Amino acid sequence: MKKHILSSLAVASLMAVSQGAVAQNIAIVNGKAVPTARMEALAQQVARSGRPVTPEMQGQMREEIIAREIFVQEAQARGLDATDDYKNQLDLTRQSILIRELFADFQKKNPVTDEETKAEYDKFASANAGKEYRARHILVEKEDQAKALIAQLKKGAKFEDLAKKNSKDPGSGANGGDLDWANASSYVKEFSDALVALSKGKMTDTPVKTQFGFHIIRLDDLREAQLPKYEDVKPQIAQQLQQQKIAKFQEDLRAKAKVE
């Protein structure tokens, strides 16, 4: 009777150990335990990519981890983990992971604040406030060419047709010289000064010289600047500011590093 009780206790103890091993490991492959921590790490990677970790996906991840363990064991059995190529790649991968964690830690400790995004938006709004101009232009290399085109326009030639045929600005030329809506500050000073001096529907009587050549400019329309709402562009502003912070962090580290 005593032996039977001892035997029962031994079985219970083995079952407890076995259940504990199952909780700590997702499988035992060729006698080697595969820890659940790998499953958790892979699940975190999937979650970071924005995909939900469903029960079905958990089964797929388990099979993936087991397959990796089988392949790794075979590679190690062949001595592939002792090659210089493997060690070099492993070192590069280790560096990449550490650098990624460094920047993630920096972002966590230096988040972009609402005050920073609002200040950046206000700066943008101030620089782009005022009038927007819908203009067309024809760009040519020589002043005589521009004067000859102006003469044709005054005789009734269509601005759009001459722009398509003669303008050396490939972007707007194909669209009849259309520059779409833009703030005057978007253009070089000579072009901007000539543009804002025009009345709606009028064109420049003389060629406008800039660093790009000679322009004939026509103002088709003007309006108050149409700025996006702060809430609509806040995520983009925050992302841009975060990138700037990361870039500054990198520059500061490089500046204080002693490189010989």
Side-chain angles (χ1 to χ4, degrees):
M1 181 68 177
K2 188 175 180 180
K3 289 183 179 180
H4 178 71
I5 292 172
L6 290 174
S7 177
S8 297
L9 289 173
V11 170
S13 177
L14 286 171
M15 289 179 64
V17 171
S18 177
Q19 289 173 353
V22 170
Q24 294 176 2
N25 306 306
I26 62 171
I28 307 293
V29 178
N30 296 324
K32 183 176 180 181
V34 181
T36 55
R38 293 188 194 175
M39 186 82 162
E40 294 167 0
L42 185 56
Q44 288 178 0
Q45 286 185 0
V46 173
R48 286 174 183 172
S49 69
R51 292 179 294 167
V53 181
T54 64
E56 180 183 2
M57 186 174 291
Q58 286 181 335
Q60 294 173 350
M61 289 191 298
R62 181 179 183 277
E63 292 303 316
E64 171 69 16
I65 291 170
I66 291 172
R68 288 187 182 190
E69 179 61 31
I70 293 170
F71 302 149
V72 165
Q73 288 185 20
E74 180 62 23
Q76 290 172 334
R78 299 186 182 196
L80 299 179
D81 57 338
T83 64
D84 290 338
D85 182 57
Y86 167 77
K87 292 177 181 178
N88 290 333
Q89 290 188 60
L90 187 62
D91 189 49
L92 289 173
T93 301
R94 180 187 62 83
Q95 288 183 349
S96 297
I97 294 172
L98 275 175
I99 292 169
R100 184 187 66 201
E101 292 300 312
L102 171 67
F103 294 155
D105 180 69
F106 175 83
Q107 289 179 338
K108 183 178 179 180
K109 294 177 180 177
N110 299 272
V112 174
T113 65
D114 290 342
E115 290 77 11
E116 288 173 325
T117 57
K118 187 60 168 63
E120 187 69 15
Y121 175 82
D122 290 343
K123 185 168 65 174
F124 162 79
S126 176
N128 292 277
K131 301 290 184 182
E132 285 185 332
Y133 298 82
R134 184 70 181 263
R136 293 179 185 270
H137 82 137
I138 303 173
L139 174 63
V140 293
E141 292 184 5
K142 300 181 181 299
E143 185 176 14
D144 289 345
Q145 291 176 274
K147 287 181 177 180
L149 291 172
I150 290 174
Q152 292 182 51
L153 290 167
K154 288 183 176 181
K155 291 179 180 179
K158 289 189 65 175
F159 195 101
E160 293 83 347
D161 293 342
L162 292 185
K164 290 179 181 179
K165 184 177 180 180
N166 299 279
S167 183
K168 71 171 189 173
D169 179 357
S172 68
N175 294 319
D178 187 12
L179 293 169
D180 208 344
W181 290 101
N183 190 287
S185 62
S186 302
Y187 305 110
V188 294
K189 186 178 186 305
E190 301 89 345
F191 191 104
S192 177
D193 290 345
L195 177 62
V196 299
L198 291 172
S199 300
K200 180 178 176 179
K202 300 296 184 180
M203 73 172 189
T204 50
D205 289 327
T206 57
V208 178
K209 183 180 180 181
T210 72
Q211 65 199 68
F212 305 107
F214 291 87
H215 306 258
I216 305 163
I217 307 168
R218 189 181 79 188
L219 175 60
D220 287 350
D221 204 355
L222 70 162
R223 68 183 184 189
E224 290 299 320
Q226 306 291 302
L227 299 177
K229 294 180 180 179
Y230 168 65
E231 292 300 330
D232 292 340
V233 295
K234 181 181 176 181
Q236 293 93 314
I237 295 174
Q239 183 180 24
Q240 181 181 10
L241 290 177
Q242 189 66 75
Q243 290 173 347
Q244 291 175 3
K245 285 189 175 187
I246 286 289
K248 179 66 165 54
F249 177 56
Q250 294 175 358
E251 290 172 5
D252 290 344
L253 289 177
R254 291 179 66 88
K256 71 180 184 180
K258 184 178 180 180
V259 182
E260 300 177 348

